Amino acid sequence: DILVKERTAEINNQNEELKTQTEELNTQREELETQKEELEAQKEELITQKEMLVTQNVELERLELVASKTDNVIYIFSPEGHLIWFNSSFSSLLGMSFKDFVSTGKEIQIDEISSNFEIRKHLTHCLETKVKEVYESSLIVDGNQHWYQTTLTPIFEDGAIKYVVAIDSDITRLKHYEIEIETQRKLAVTRKNVLEDQQSEMNDSLRYAQRIQTAI
């Protein structure tokens, strides 16, 4: 009887151990299933990101093709003002291509590029109104003053602003023309005033002469 009881107790202990091991295996299997699902989700996310990057690269290549046809400087910024892309016209100013810039890992803010002291104000207004913002800036280059007109255009995706495209146009010649026109206008006004004063003096002299003649 004692041997039977010992054997029964031993078998019961083994059953308990097997039960515990089975539960542990089931737990491990559930954890593995969970990890598998997480890996699948990460895989799907990586695939989605890859597709987005491919699409973005295609868009940038198309934009580069179009932007290479213009002398205007074109940038693309995030809504926070981080520089994302620029065309070859800015490459010559920066001294490196866009690919070289990306390889440096540097971050450039819109404040570092723009010579306009109110650039953040213009960017905020563009984001709040969700319409393009146009403003002018001046810059001294090689001792000469240059003027630029910048257009900030919000780009939407699913109703939200994804990018802000900035296009700088050199309006220096137009400004010089406007200054010349304004100078000529002021000169014409000055001459007109001088002629009117002379005419007034002549009329006064004539009236004075007529009064003398009448008196005589």
Side-chain angles (χ1 to χ4, degrees):
D1 290 340
I2 295 174
L3 290 175
V4 171
K5 289 180 180 180
E6 291 178 352
R7 184 58 180 167
T8 301
E10 186 179 347
I11 290 172
N12 289 334
N13 289 333
Q14 290 177 351
N15 287 335
E16 287 296 327
E17 289 179 1
L18 287 172
K19 184 179 179 181
T20 302
Q21 290 177 359
T22 301
E23 291 175 353
E24 290 177 354
L25 287 172
N26 288 333
T27 302
Q28 290 177 1
R29 185 175 64 184
E30 290 174 358
E31 290 177 353
L32 287 173
E33 287 294 330
T34 302
Q35 291 176 359
K36 182 180 178 182
E37 291 174 0
E38 290 176 353
L39 288 172
E40 287 294 331
Q42 290 176 2
K43 181 181 178 182
E44 290 295 327
E45 186 178 351
L46 288 172
I47 291 173
T48 302
Q49 289 178 356
K50 182 180 178 181
E51 291 174 350
M52 289 176 61
L53 286 173
V54 169
T55 302
Q56 188 178 40
N57 286 336
V58 171
E59 291 176 353
L60 290 177
E61 287 175 0
R62 290 175 179 173
L63 182 57
E64 175 67 30
L65 181 62
V66 175
S68 63
K69 305 296 182 181
T70 178
D71 293 331
N72 294 338
V73 178
I74 302 175
Y75 324 84
I76 297 179
F77 297 93
S78 70
E80 294 75 28
H82 300 296
L83 180 63
I84 297 175
W85 182 87
F86 53 82
N87 69 339
S88 56
S89 294
F90 184 64
S91 296
S92 58
L93 298 175
L94 190 62
M96 67 176 70
S97 67
F98 175 69
K99 289 183 179 179
D100 292 336
F101 166 71
V102 171
S103 65
T104 63
K106 294 181 180 178
E107 285 191 358
I108 296 181
Q109 297 291 324
I110 193 170
D111 317 71
E112 301 175 57
I113 296 174
S114 177
S115 60
N116 191 293
F117 295 110
E118 296 186 328
I119 179 58
R120 281 289 174 181
K121 178 181 176 181
H122 292 299
L123 178 60
T124 300
H125 188 261
C126 174
L127 296 174
E128 289 178 348
T129 60
K130 297 184 177 181
V131 295
K132 69 179 181 179
E133 177 87 355
V134 181
Y135 59 90
E136 293 182 4
S137 308
S138 64
L139 186 66
I140 303 298
V141 180
D142 297 330
N144 298 316
Q145 189 171 16
H146 289 252
W147 285 268
Y148 298 90
Q149 183 183 76
T150 303
T151 303
L152 299 179
T153 305
I155 305 299
F156 297 88
E157 185 174 284
D158 298 328
I161 297 178
K162 187 176 182 181
Y163 304 115
V164 176
V165 177
I167 300 177
D168 287 347
S169 302
D170 192 336
I171 57 171
T172 302
R173 292 180 63 184
L174 177 61
K175 276 292 182 181
H176 283 312
Y177 178 74
E178 289 179 353
I179 291 172
E180 180 66 23
I181 292 296
E182 181 64 18
T183 301
Q184 293 296 330
R185 187 190 69 79
K186 289 180 179 179
L187 182 60
V189 170
T190 301
R191 287 177 178 174
K192 176 175 175 292
N193 292 335
V194 170
L195 288 173
E196 287 178 349
D197 290 341
Q198 291 176 348
Q199 184 69 33
S200 178
E201 289 177 1
M202 289 177 63
N203 289 335
D204 290 342
S205 297
L206 286 172
R207 282 194 293 270
Y208 180 70
Q210 285 176 351
R211 283 199 300 272
I212 294 175
Q213 190 175 23
T214 301
I216 293 174

